[in-house]
Structure formats: structure tokens, C-alpha cells
Amino acid sequence: KGATLDRTNSTADDKYYNNVKVAAMKADKVALKFVNNKFFEGMAAFIPAREPLVFDLFNSIKKDIDRIYGEGDVLKLIKSPYTEGDDDEYMAIRSGHGSCSAYWKTMMPNGKENYIALEITEDLVVKLRYQDAVLIQEAIKKQDEMASSDL
């Protein structure tokens, strides 16, 4: 509800939307990717109201995902001159001295794993990504075929 299609950047296989509600939160931008009319990858970007709140936003989204898929694997690295637990962790990420991400895998009946990833980017956007394990291979194959036909 309230989402708007970005007609300028969207194509038949890639749809871009602004102001989309994802679960209980408003994503500033959402990209949906399709291969042979099947959804294989989705990305959502969440921008915190203020930069120092980026970890609160990350943790809130992570908590929602954890409730559905179980505890995600978190990888957090803060390098000198910053330290984990200080109030400037967001500045560490902004300056390239840190990273923060979480990952979930869901096993499909065919034995393949779908992936969900959540990360804080250097521009302090919380990015959520989903990939279908089977269809991503189909998309890569199609992309390779298109690249080969261009030769």
C-alpha cells in the first residue's frame, strides 16, 4: 500500500519501487528481479531517521527476521580507531573501519538453500536481500547466454 513503481528504471525483469511496506517497516526502495517471469531476488533499502540510529534499525529488522527463520548469523567487525560498544560504531562503518551483517539460510525440499542477508552499507543504509537458490542459477545461466550471444 502506498508503493510507487519507478517506471524510469524498471524493466520486464527488474522492478523498482519506492516507499514499500516490508513486514511492518517502510522500505525506502525495493528491487524485485525476475527470470522467465519468476521471482528470484529481492532487495530492500531502509534509511534510518538519523545516522546514529542505524544499528537500532538493523537490530529491529533482524529481530523480525529471527522470529520467522531463527537466529541469524551475525558478523560484526569494528576496527581501530573505533571500538565495539562505543557510540561511534556507525562512524566506523561509514569510514570503512567496520562492517555489520546477518545471514539466514532456509533449506528447500530439494536440498538447496535460499539466502537472506541483512547489512549496514558504508552509506549507512540497512539493506535486506533475499535470493532463491534454484532460480538464481537460472538467472546466471540466462545472463551467461545473453553475454555469449553478444560476442
Side-chain angles (χ1 to χ4, degrees):
K1 185 175 181 178
T4 55
L5 176 66
D6 178 349
R7 294 184 190 283
T8 304
N9 294 309
S10 292
T11 65
D13 291 334
D14 299 323
K15 301 292 184 195
Y16 298 93
Y17 296 89
N18 298 312
N19 301 315
V20 178
K21 192 172 182 182
V22 177
M25 306 190 81
K26 183 183 85 58
D28 295 279
K29 299 203 179 285
V30 168
L32 304 176
K33 295 184 177 262
F34 298 85
V35 61
N36 301 324
N37 293 319
K38 295 177 273 187
F39 171 70
F40 77 90
E41 183 176 51
M43 292 165 280
F46 301 87
I47 300 172
R50 293 183 305 114
E51 288 182 352
L53 300 176
V54 71
F55 280 99
D56 292 340
L57 179 59
F58 176 91
N59 289 327
S60 177
I61 296 168
K62 181 186 174 306
K63 185 177 173 183
D64 287 345
I65 299 169
D66 284 344
R67 272 196 292 265
I68 298 167
Y69 297 102
E71 189 75 23
D73 296 323
V74 176
L75 302 168
K76 186 174 180 185
L77 176 64
I78 304 297
K79 299 179 196 170
S80 181
Y82 303 95
T83 58
E84 190 168 339
D86 68 16
D87 290 335
D88 292 331
E89 287 180 328
Y90 73 97
M91 291 300 296
I93 292 175
R94 178 180 275 301
S95 66
H97 290 90
S99 62
C100 183
S101 56
Y103 300 91
W104 296 261
K105 295 178 193 175
T106 59
M107 187 64 70
M108 301 299 291
N110 62 5
K112 302 279 186 177
E113 294 177 327
N114 291 339
Y115 293 94
I116 299 170
L118 184 67
E119 71 172 316
I120 301 175
T121 66
E122 282 188 14
D123 53 354
L124 301 181
V125 171
V126 178
K127 186 165 66 172
L128 175 64
R129 175 178 290 198
Y130 163 83
Q131 282 187 340
D132 180 287
V134 174
L135 294 176
I136 191 74
Q137 297 305 318
E138 192 174 321
I140 291 168
K141 182 179 176 186
K142 183 177 179 180
Q143 187 176 30
D144 288 348
E145 288 169 357
M146 289 172 55
S148 294
S149 69
D150 288 343
L151 297 178

